[in-house]
């Protein structure tokens, strides 16, 4: 059965089923002087060293000739350890569920240095890397993996790090914004307003929002940015007053920030629809925020995720992080490809660009030419303390 092992240092490794090789003991030799007349001799010549047999012991983790080696690079210590351990648990659960015996996953802690973790993984023979989680870690890992010819399935949503052997599993804001804008336009929304934070996420969200509204045949009548403070959010909303009313307002931020802004927006546009992004799906309390009642947001489906979460809690005794499904789906993809992946051969990277895509907990997905996962998203509406699907995700990419 496939296993997962955590590697924190090269010399501190625990491997199931490994049988230690006992060192060969060599008996000491002594020289006996024969009895009889003393014969003058020169310096005593030492006997030649006894040749020790090669017992096959190597530094690092042992070779595995029966399975292909996959490395999981996630933070297992530090501030993001909770997410990293949840991802690691999810990959283990996927291996158990698929009963895959052709893949072996070893965990490496990126919190102590992503580049060092990648170098250890490559030295240990990894043929595929799952992770890292953070975009800056992907930037550190990518050139190391590229030189070794090892593809990377990263969990980041920063599209700037994708391509040239790096594939992104993360949920990108652009797809979520495009989907919710398209849905809003189909429900009669014409005039859009936007609130986005002064951050990289906000910059990219703004660009996507403008293009999506134009493509859908609508108009952006107001777009304001803000720093992530309550007072600055309030100021940004007040600046939108001159362009009110709106049919809908996109708030490209967390559900908490949106809940702060909505009461202010209602004063100028009482009937405006509130639109959110994929960030809301990672907030377990999003539906419990009264201010967001009636809001729409697009995300991956939660149907299969709920089943996964129940199984995860039963095995590990705690709830998973929402992002842990990325680890599970990465293993499902790997397990499917492993059917045609000869043990010891390089990972068949061309299979990642399969046009029909792959199925996972988060629904169907496929990688585009840019290496970013394209996902089938649904639109949910927040209604009186719960969420309801108002536009199901397409079953495939043929829509």
């Amino acid at each position: 059965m496939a296993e997962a092992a955590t590697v924190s240092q090269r010399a501190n490794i625990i491997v199931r089923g490994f049988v230690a090789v006992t060192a060969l003991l060599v008996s000491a030799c002594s020289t006996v002087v024969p009895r009889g007349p003393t014969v003058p001799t020169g310096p005593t010549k030492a006997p030649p060293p006894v040749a020790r047999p090669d017992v096959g012991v190597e530094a690092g983790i042992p070779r595995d000739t029966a399975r292909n080696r996959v490395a999981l690079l996630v933070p297992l210590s530090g501030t993001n350890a909770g997410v990293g351990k949840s991802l690691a648990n999810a990959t283990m659960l996927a291996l158990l569920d698929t009963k895959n015996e052709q893949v072996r996953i070893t965990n490496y802690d990126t919190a102590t240095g992503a580049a060092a973790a990648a170098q250890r993984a490559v030295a240990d023979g990894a043929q595929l890397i799952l992770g890292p989680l953070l975009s800056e870690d992907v930037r550190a890992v990518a050139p190391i993996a590229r030189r070794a010819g090892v593809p990377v399935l990263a969990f980041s949503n920063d599209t700037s790090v994708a391509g040239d052997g790096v594939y992104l599993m993360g949920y990108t804001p652009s797809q979520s914004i495009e989907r919710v804008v398209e849905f809003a336009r189909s429900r009669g929304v014409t005039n859009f307003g936007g609130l986005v934070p002064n951050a990289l996420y906000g910059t990219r969200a703004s660009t996507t929002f403008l293009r999506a509204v134009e493509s859908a045949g609508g108009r952006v009548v107001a777009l304001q940015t803000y720093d992530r403070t309550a007072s600055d959010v309030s100021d940004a909303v007040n600046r939108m007053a001159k362009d009110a009313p709106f049919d809908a307002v996109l708030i490209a931020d967390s559900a908490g920030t949106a809940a702060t802004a909505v009461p202010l927006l209602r004063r100028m546009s009482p009937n405006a629809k509130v639109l959110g992004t994929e960030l809301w799906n990672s907030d377990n309390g999003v539906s419990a925020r009264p201010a967001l009642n009636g809001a729409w947001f697009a995300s991956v489906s939660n149907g299969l995720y709920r089943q996964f979460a129940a199984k995860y809690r039963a095995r590990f005794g705690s709830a998973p992080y929402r992002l842990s499904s990325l680890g599970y789906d990465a293993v499902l993809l790997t397990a499917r490809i492993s059917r045609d992946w000869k043990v010891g051969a390089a990972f068949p990277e061309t299979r990642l660009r399969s046009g029909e895509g792959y199925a996972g907990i988060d629904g169907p997905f496929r990688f585009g030419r840019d290496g970013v996962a394209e996902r089938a998203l649904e639109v949910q509406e927040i209604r009186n303390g719960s969420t309801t699907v108002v536009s199901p995700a397409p079953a495939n990419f043929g829509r």
Side-chain angles (χ1 to χ4, degrees):
M1 182 177 66
E3 59 185 291
T6 301
V7 179
S8 56
Q9 297 179 0
R10 177 179 292 275
N12 184 20
I13 301 166
I14 301 175
V15 182
R16 292 184 180 177
F18 176 69
V19 181
V21 181
T22 306
L24 180 67
L25 301 178
V26 180
S27 302
C29 297
S30 59
T31 304
V32 179
V33 179
R35 294 180 181 180
T38 302
V39 180
T41 60
T44 302
K45 184 177 181 181
V50 177
R52 295 177 182 268
D54 180 3
V55 294
V57 176
E58 302 177 3
I61 58 181
R63 294 178 180 177
D64 191 340
T65 58
R67 292 171 290 184
N68 284 311
R69 191 177 297 283
V70 175
L72 175 68
L73 273 61
V74 290
L76 299 173
S77 59
T79 56
N80 293 310
V83 182
K85 291 176 181 177
S86 191
L87 282 161
N89 288 342
T91 61
M92 178 188 297
L93 195 57
L95 279 179
L96 294 172
D97 286 348
T98 59
K99 297 180 174 59
N100 189 285
E101 297 182 353
Q102 294 175 275
V103 172
R104 173 179 182 160
I105 298 179
T106 306
N107 302 342
Y108 298 81
D109 188 3
T110 56
T112 58
Q119 289 168 347
R120 290 196 301 273
V122 169
D124 288 341
Q127 299 143 291
L128 174 68
I129 290 176
L130 308 182
L133 173 65
L134 305 176
S135 60
E136 56 265 32
D137 288 345
V138 179
R139 289 190 178 91
V141 167
I144 298 169
R146 194 172 296 125
R147 286 194 296 270
V150 176
V152 174
L153 289 179
F155 303 134
S156 170
N157 66 352
D158 184 349
T159 56
S160 69
V161 300
D164 199 9
V166 175
Y167 301 82
L168 294 193
M169 295 284 294
Y171 320 123
T172 60
S174 60
Q175 294 179 38
S176 173
I177 292 171
E178 289 168 356
R179 178 76 166 95
V180 77
V181 165
E182 179 186 79
F183 176 74
R185 187 72 187 90
S186 72
R187 291 297 184 91
V189 173
T190 300
N191 297 322
F192 292 80
L195 280 170
V196 296
N198 284 318
L200 182 59
Y201 183 94
T203 300
R204 291 175 177 166
S206 298
T207 302
T208 299
F209 179 54
L210 292 168
R211 291 175 178 171
V213 172
E214 181 181 6
S215 177
R219 295 185 304 160
V220 175
V221 296
L223 182 60
Q224 292 292 333
T225 61
Y226 57 87
D227 294 326
R228 283 190 165 114
T229 64
S231 60
D232 213 47
V233 171
S234 176
D235 291 343
V237 173
N238 290 332
R239 290 193 298 270
M240 297 177 71
K242 66 180 186 303
D243 300 308
F246 321 102
D247 298 329
V249 178
L250 173 76
I251 305 176
D253 210 328
S254 67
T257 298
T260 299
V262 169
L264 304 174
L265 287 167
R266 294 292 183 216
R267 297 175 188 172
M268 62 183 74
S269 293
N271 299 317
K273 204 69 175 177
V274 175
L275 311 179
T277 72
E278 87 294 343
L279 293 177
W280 293 16
N281 202 41
S282 300
D283 186 338
N284 292 330
V286 63
S287 59
R289 301 178 187 273
L292 300 182
N293 193 48
W296 294 327
F297 66 96
S299 72
V300 294
S301 173
N302 285 323
L304 291 176
Y305 175 79
R306 294 188 184 98
Q307 298 177 32
F308 159 77
K311 183 180 291 187
Y312 183 104
R313 282 192 296 270
R315 183 169 187 86
F316 300 107
S318 61
Y321 281 75
R322 184 61 183 83
L323 291 177
S324 64
S325 60
L326 296 177
Y328 192 98
D329 283 357
V331 174
L332 289 187
L333 181 155
T334 304
R336 178 174 171 182
I337 293 178
S338 69
R339 301 170 189 168
D340 305 316
W341 182 12
K342 184 179 179 181
V343 174
F347 181 81
E349 185 178 349
T350 55
R351 289 289 305 278
L352 294 176
R353 295 186 286 271
S354 173
E356 70 272 13
Y358 296 92
I361 288 176
D362 290 328
F365 66 97
R366 64 182 178 184
F367 295 105
R369 293 182 179 179
D370 57 359
V372 177
E374 177 188 353
R375 296 185 175 276
L377 304 182
E378 67 183 20
V379 178
Q380 301 179 43
E381 180 178 310
I382 300 173
R383 292 181 186 172
N384 302 318
S386 63
T387 58
T388 300
V389 177
V390 291
S391 180
N396 51 52
F397 296 99
R399 64 174 183 144

